[in-house]
Amino acid sequence: MARIYAPTSPEITEQEKNHMERVRRIAAEGMVLLENKGVLPLRADGRALAVFGNGVRKMVKGGTGSGDVNSRTVVNIEQGLEDAGFSIATKPWLDRFDQACADYGAGYMAEFQAILQEKGFAGVNWALENPYRDPAVPEITREDLAGTERDLALYVIARTSGEGADRKLNPGDYELSEREIENLKTLTSYYEHTVVILNVGGVIDTKFLRSQKGIDAVLLMSQPGCAGGLALADVLTGKVTPCGRLTATWAENYADYPSAESFSYLSGNLDDSEYREGIYVGYRWFDSFGLNPAYPFGFGRSYTEFALSTRRVEILGGAIRVTVSVKNTGALYAGRETVQVYVSQPQGKLDKPYQVLAGFAKTKKLAPGEEELLTVDFSIPSLASYDEERAAWVLEAGSYEIRVGTHSRDTHIVAALELDETVVTEQLQNKVRPDCELPGLHADPDRFYTYLSESAEKAAALKLEIIPSTIPTRTAHYGAEAVEMHTEKTEAVTLTDVLEEKATLEDLTAQLSVEELAALVVGAERGGLGSVSAVGAASAAVPGAAGDTSMELADSRGITNLVLADGPAGLRLSKSFVTDGQGNVIPGLGESAFGNLFDMLGVPAAQRPDGAVDHYQYCTAIPIATMLAQTWDPAAIEEAGDIVGSELEQFGVDLWLAPGMNIHRSPLCGRNFEYYSEDPLLSGLCAAADTRGVQRHPGRGTTIKHFALNNQEDNRMHCNSRCSERALREIYLKGFEIAVKESQPLALMTSYNLVNGIHAANHRELLTDILRCEWGFRGLVMTDWGTTAASEGFQYGSSDAALCVKAGNDLTMPGSQADVDAIVKAVGRELALAELQACAKRILELVLLRAKLQ
């Protein structure tokens, strides 16, 4: 019988209340003010507001799929405004939209239920590929406006997306719909000012919003978690001065993105995705190819003004320190500013982008007239580029210009680091090479973005000399083959023996049979991906959790399971469940993480026995990852991680299947909301902060994902992502590398897709050579759910369970008997016993860690 952690009282706890307040504060810090012609902040005077749009009552707190979180409550925008003292003058229009959504939703659910009746649980894939979207908003008529005050209207544009499907380059998704445009025209012709609020998880086209006269403010509220309406009201009323900054470039036109035509379904080929833009992703592309964005990377406005002054740039050993004075020069509002430091690397054998982010820091809240000195530190080797011919990270000779500013189109040269010879900072071996020829993209410095004072800044910049001999060269050492473990112990060794130091973990591992080892490295859901409980409800002890490791050795060896839970914006668990008098969970009772899915499948409801006990698992929906990154505040992100870590402890979950940290290669990726940024440095530092917050709680850990090149959702399980090694190392792996080296996450999840011709879960060069040997990762590697499932009808097949083990992918999830059988059969053939033992031992290390804390 599994231990049950969930409380039996349905009453809201002090921890829940505390977490809601923390989410409110963090979310407000991540909102980005894009436009403001003096209309914001609003006076909190209790007036009646005209509020329209699809996100007012149906505010999107986060994405769909595994990104969802089942919170007790979600405070929407209407509730947040009313809590701030406003009344809503347009409730009849909002009621009309509610009814339209109810009618449309009934039709969608009827279609979904028919598909479930035909296909069973496999029909869930239809919902992932065809996610529910609210219908078009109603027309705003003159009758809807009658009786409202004519000075101001709010219009909320909401978008949602999730795993299994990419966003569409269509009206109502990336673009505004015709109805949204017509409604905004109606509002701007009637009201003196219109404020547009973007309740979106990613980029949308903003041309109309910026060109339409009368739209006097645009606020990106993002997808803010369960206290979003309260946080929005705080920002709109000036209780919080907006200080969020963008973490992706918002283009003037979708066609301006370098991957515009080659992304996902737009390429006409869902089997192969070629990353032809190389290192030129996001602002690196826009700055280097002379394209002006609508909103640049790092951009955000405030209710006040700040003045920056660089005081010092100095070399401290192998690092650079930039000291900047920031002063609030406004007269009315306190606020926070983010200092961003970029570096322009010298053009040499390797072409370089115009600039790359090197570091950043954020002020405390500064009162009008208040000043703060910030320091931004970064290492000199972090400025290196990857040279494929040398298989090395190199600092090429030349001038490294240090730029200070507040976003990527507001940087000014303050110093130049002079290096008179090329230095190898890290000698590696080439790994994960492309399986085809990829045309290289080269930037022409004559097309670089520039500004009037740039030449004068270069001439006047402080010159600092880097002494080549002070920069050490690190050489990676790739591990020898795994060594088979043996023991002299004759009595059966248990985990308790290891805890009591009567035996070692090696003794225990060595005693396990091939069958026992195989059971250990395969998840507990022996029914496989197609079973009712395999996705999102596969845990025996924590209903709604994504799955468990094996319990097959619990009686014989004392090896208990690890519980793994989804949710990049908090834990996704069932809100409630029921146990019998002996503490066994009764399937089908309580409020499932899947809502009424099991009823729709025709699964008969269990009878509630005498002595049954109700348990409750109310979790906190934190802001989406993109919004956390928009705070540009590692301390705030660490606090969000701490919220999740405390709930991992509370509910008995060991590993959080987050954070997601793939790069925003295209704005149309369906899961961009789960990911931090287009920039690898920012992504890596955010994931490290998230991990530190979670892992403050002993024995609880993050699972950084999806490793690697998971940058589209359409055909995500069978797409071959093709990328140059330089782009792979500098852009797509760099964030993972930073997170590993800065915070040592307890786990990592591989992606479904192939990486240059080999499935990520089967890629030994990726998982062993790079992740473990080069970066020093010490944790557990697991697959995404169902990576070994059947794959008929696809050009590329699925991962192989035995090859997962051989690659160093320790755990196959959710697990099937076929996976176990394949591993057992492979031992002594393509799979060495030592390789299987190595994977099992890494799982046992986490089980042992958890056991020590109980």
Side-chain angles (χ1 to χ4, degrees), residues 355-378:
Q355 61 182 353
V356 296
L357 183 69
F360 58 90
K362 192 168 185 175
T363 67
K364 64 182 180 181
K365 185 163 70 173
L366 300 177
E370 189 176 2
E371 186 173 2
E372 182 180 3
L373 278 181
L374 292 179
T375 58
V376 178
D377 296 337
F378 54 92

Side-chain angles (χ1 to χ4, degrees), residues 58-71 74 127-128 131-133 158-165 167 199-202 221-226 566-572 593-594 620-627 669-675 705 713:
K58 298 184 178 298
M59 182 196 78
V60 181
K61 72 178 187 304
T64 62
S66 64
D68 198 11
V69 178
N70 298 297
S71 300
V74 176
L128 289 174
Y132 170 79
R133 298 287 183 266
R159 297 287 189 267
T160 189
S161 63
E163 69 173 316
R167 295 177 59 198
N199 176 208
V200 300
M221 78 169 292
S222 193
Q223 293 174 345
C226 56
D566 258 327
L571 296 182
R572 187 180 73 155
F594 279 131
T620 304
I622 63 174
I624 61 171
T626 303
M627 189 178 198
C669 175
R671 293 180 88 168
N672 272 356
F673 70 94
E674 293 189 35
Y675 310 142
K705 66 182 188 182
E713 286 300 295

Side-chain angles (χ1 to χ4, degrees), residues 521-522 750 752 758-763 767 783 786-789 791 797-809 811-812 818-827 830-831:
V521 301
V522 174
T750 52
Y752 288 121
I758 301 174
H759 276 95
N762 292 163
H763 214 311
L767 305 183
T783 69
T787 189
T788 58
S791 57
S798 297
S799 301
D800 179 275
L803 294 181
C804 284
V805 174
K806 191 169 190 67
N809 193 125
L811 178 62
T812 297
D819 294 330
V820 175
D821 295 342
I823 293 168
V824 171
K825 184 178 179 181
V827 174
E830 64 267 33
L831 181 63

Side-chain angles (χ1 to χ4, degrees), residues 484-513:
E484 192 172 315
M485 299 178 203
H486 299 279
T487 181
E488 296 180 355
K489 299 284 186 181
T490 56
E491 297 293 324
V493 177
T494 67
L495 193 71
T496 301
D497 294 327
V498 179
L499 280 168
E500 295 176 353
E501 299 183 354
K502 297 175 182 177
T504 66
L505 209 54
E506 289 76 10
D507 290 326
L508 175 56
T509 307
Q511 275 199 353
L512 297 179
S513 68

